[in-house]
Every structure is written in structure tokens, then in C-alpha cells.
Amino acid sequence: MTGPRELRMTEPLRDILRRAAERLVAVHASEDLDEASLEADLLFGLASGLDRSHVIAAGARPPHADALVAFETLLARRLQHEPLAYILGAREFFGMTFEVGPGCLIPRPETETLVEAALAAITEHPRHRRLVRVADIGTGSGAIALSIAQHAPSTKVYGIDVSGDALKWAARNMRRFALQERVVLLTGDLAEPLSEPIDVLCANLPYVPTDDYEGLPDEIRASEPQIAVEGGPTGIELIARLADQLAAHLAEDCAAAIFELGAGQASWVEELVVKALTAAGRGPLDVRVHRDLRGIRRVVEVRYGYPLPEAREPGA
Ligand SMILES: C[S@@+](CC[C@H](N)C(=O)[O-])C[C@H]1O[C@@H](n2cnc3c(N)ncnc32)[C@H](O)[C@@H]1O
């Protein structure tokens, strides 16, 4: 006779991972077994030092005892609703692997819509051939600031956050991608720390209304910083305050301001930004709304001073 522990030690890895995936589905009240299988593979990969293809290739054999013990510890954390990205210590965003952990928001796929809009605004800016000055307000892990700096070499990028804990992650990622020469991280409230005019200003500030915040999954509320998610009673309090600061920090001749928002907030934000820039005499304004991959009006962009398409330099 063999005890339960010995029995498990002879169980092929693929059966262990399948049972783990089933437990993840049950505990997270999800129906997505494929997603849970991916999570189980990634957790075993972290426990064993194998990449996913090697985890799958090793499926027919029982795993090494040390790897199995380490895997069970990681699985227990995930079953307690700790976000997968925090356990793995990393999240893919815009084709780059960002280090993440407690203290910073895990970058979300919909934020790539904002980065794409920002890169277009940079490429089409008249100063593109020289240097475009960019600001990312509420930089968190640095996902937006560093993706922009990596993909648009003719930029100087400021990443600002009020949270010192978040900025530690941004600084780690800045060093990871060796972008210290063109990225400056600043602590402070919204755009206040900026000391030079900005050509393209981006912001993914917290925008979840207080009442909705209470209804978010435990995984978000218990792990990710509230200051990174909850945006006040209407959700757009911080965005409204930043709209009022725009004219003081955007270049007078030509600039773009680009905001990520929640579903149903685009018209409000558009109105706020247009009102603030019009009151400061900026214009004519070119307002664009970008939809994310789910079709949600996710990003509002307001530009002024850009040349008309036919007046742009060839190849710009
Ligand atoms: C939704 S997270 C975005 C993080 C990152 N930019 C991203 O897209 O993954 C919002 C960030 O704004 C920061 N924040 C909140 N209030 C702020 C304020 N008044 N001034 C500057 N940053 C603020 C939070 O600390 C958090 O890092």
C-alpha cells in the first residue's frame, strides 16, 4: 500500500496541472478552464524554472518533488485570490515584460489603446524630428511612459505618480529597459511636478466611481492599491482636476492630451477638456475618441496646433 503523498509523487504532471486548473476554476467562480490551465502551467513554470513549452513537454512524467512542493505553495496563494501577475512578479504589456507587485496597478490590455493613440500623436507632432516632450500622469508601474519611450526614440518622457510605492516599480522597470536617459520619474500631484511645457500628455488616472469600487472582485480590492483604482464619487474627479491644469503645462503652439476612462465616461471627459482648453484660448481643437478591443469608448484625445494631414512632412 502507498500513502496519498507517495501516490501523488507518481502522478504525471499533466494530471496534477489539470486538477489544479479545476480547483482554480471552482475557487474563482470562473468557467474558463483554458485560462485556469494557463495559470497552472505558469505557476508550475515559476516553481520549476521551466518555460511553458517545457512544462507541457514534461506532462507525461511525475514532477520532481521540490518543484511539486514549490508549485503547491504558489497554487495556494493563487487560490487565496492573490493576482497571478503579483505571484509571477511580471505582466506583459505592449510587447514588453513589466515587473509588478504590491503597490502598483497591474497594467491592463485596454491601456494599450492609449499607448497607440499617444504614439500616433508623437509621430504626427511637428517636433517629431527633434524631440517630443511627453508626460504620463499616474504612471504606476511605468507601463505607459516606458512603452512610449521604448517605441518612440525621439521623446523625453516624464512619469509622475503621487505614490512612492508605485514609483519604485516604475524605477525598476525603467532600469530593466535601460531607459534612464530619456525617462524622468517624479513624485507629486497630477501635473504639478512638471517644469517644462509638454507636447503629448497622457493619463490613466483612477476612474472607478466609489460606489462601483465596492462591487469590484476581491482580487482587485484586496491586492491592488485603492488609490490606483478608485476615482472618487463620480469616478472622474482626478481627471477633472487634471483638465484644469492642462493649459498651464501643455505647449502653447501644438499639443495633445490623451485620457483613458471607464465605459460611459467619454462624453463627460471630452466636455471637461474642451472647456478647459477653450477657456485658455487653445484651439481649434481636434477631438478624437478611441475604442478598445471590446468596442468601449476608452480613450479621449484632444489636440490643437497639429498640421493638417496634407501639410505634414513626407514620411512624418
Ligand atoms: C489606474 S493606475 C495607472 C497605472 C499605470 N499608468 C497603468 O496604466 O497601468 C492610476 C495611477 O495614478 C496614481 N495616482 C492617483 N492619484 C494621483 C494623483 N493625484 N497624482 C498623481 N498620480 C496619482 C496612482 O498611484 C496609480 O499609480
Side-chain angles (χ1 to χ4, degrees):
M1 283 283 281
T2 51
R5 181 93 197 160
E6 289 162 81
L7 241 183
R8 242 190 2 210
M9 299 300 290
T10 62
E11 196 178 8
L13 177 60
R14 80 162 69 88
D15 293 349
I16 295 169
L17 294 179
R18 183 182 38 74
R19 277 194 296 104
E22 285 165 2
R23 287 174 72 196
L24 285 167
V25 162
V27 166
H28 294 154
S30 148
E31 288 177 3
D32 196 341
L33 190 58
D34 288 346
E35 180 67 27
S37 297
L38 171 65
E39 291 200 1
D41 289 357
L42 292 173
L43 291 174
F44 187 80
L46 181 63
S48 60
L50 298 175
D51 64 27
R52 191 166 183 226
S53 60
H54 286 96
V55 170
I56 293 168
R61 295 185 303 278
H64 193 279
D66 292 347
L68 186 57
V69 171
F71 171 67
E72 283 180 353
T73 307
L74 297 175
L75 180 65
R77 286 169 59 186
R78 186 68 190 114
L79 290 168
Q80 295 288 326
H81 301 280
E82 187 172 339
L84 180 70
Y86 281 3
I87 300 173
L88 298 174
R91 174 52 53 96
E92 294 290 317
F93 179 81
F94 217 76
M96 296 158 72
T97 304
F98 285 83
E99 289 185 40
V100 295
C104 77
L105 186 99
I106 300 163
R108 306 296 205 266
E110 56 268 28
T111 302
E112 296 189 346
T113 307
L114 183 152
V115 175
E116 276 164 9
L119 289 174
I122 290 163
T123 310
E124 292 162 21
H125 197 283
R127 278 185 277 280
H128 174 57
R129 298 259 179 240
R130 287 164 283 149
L131 188 75
V132 178
R133 299 156 298 183
V134 178
D136 168 25
I137 313 295
T139 198
S141 63
I144 296 170
L146 299 171
S147 306
I148 290 173
Q150 180 83 333
H151 289 85
S154 63
T155 50
K156 176 175 184 187
V157 184
Y158 294 94
I160 300 175
D161 209 291
V162 76
S163 157
D165 288 340
L167 280 176
K168 283 184 198 151
W169 290 102
R172 274 170 89 138
N173 286 312
M174 179 176 72
R175 289 191 294 272
R176 177 181 176 86
F177 301 119
L179 287 167
Q180 299 92 308
E181 283 191 8
R182 288 188 298 108
V183 175
V184 179
L185 298 176
L186 301 168
T187 314
D189 184 45
L190 301 177
E192 271 175 11
L194 291 168
S195 57
E196 71 169 322
I198 295 300
D199 302 308
V200 175
L201 181 143
C202 314
N204 177 19
L205 287 163
Y207 51 69
V208 176
T210 305
D211 286 349
D212 295 0
Y213 179 79
E214 302 307 327
L216 289 181
D218 287 352
E219 183 168 326
I220 296 176
R221 280 188 304 125
S223 301
E224 295 186 271
Q226 185 166 352
I227 194 179
V229 180
E230 193 213 320
T234 66
I236 60 165
E237 272 75 4
L238 283 163
I239 299 176
R241 272 212 296 125
L242 180 57
D244 286 338
Q245 296 181 357
L246 284 178
H249 294 286
L250 289 179
E252 273 188 44
D253 58 340
C254 173
I258 308 174
F259 297 85
E260 176 173 328
L261 1 124
Q265 295 175 338
S267 305
W268 287 0
V269 171
E270 182 182 321
E271 202 177 304
L272 284 171
V273 177
V274 166
K275 199 169 151 201
L277 290 175
T278 306
R282 306 290 162 85
L285 301 177
D286 172 2
V287 180
R288 299 156 185 224
V289 177
H290 306 270
R291 291 180 188 268
D292 67 16
L293 288 176
R294 288 190 292 152
I296 293 171
R297 286 155 54 87
R298 181 64 68 189
V299 171
V300 165
E301 173 179 3
V302 181
R303 296 177 172 194
Y304 56 84
Y306 273 71
L308 295 170
E310 60 271 21
R312 279 188 206 130
E313 294 172 56

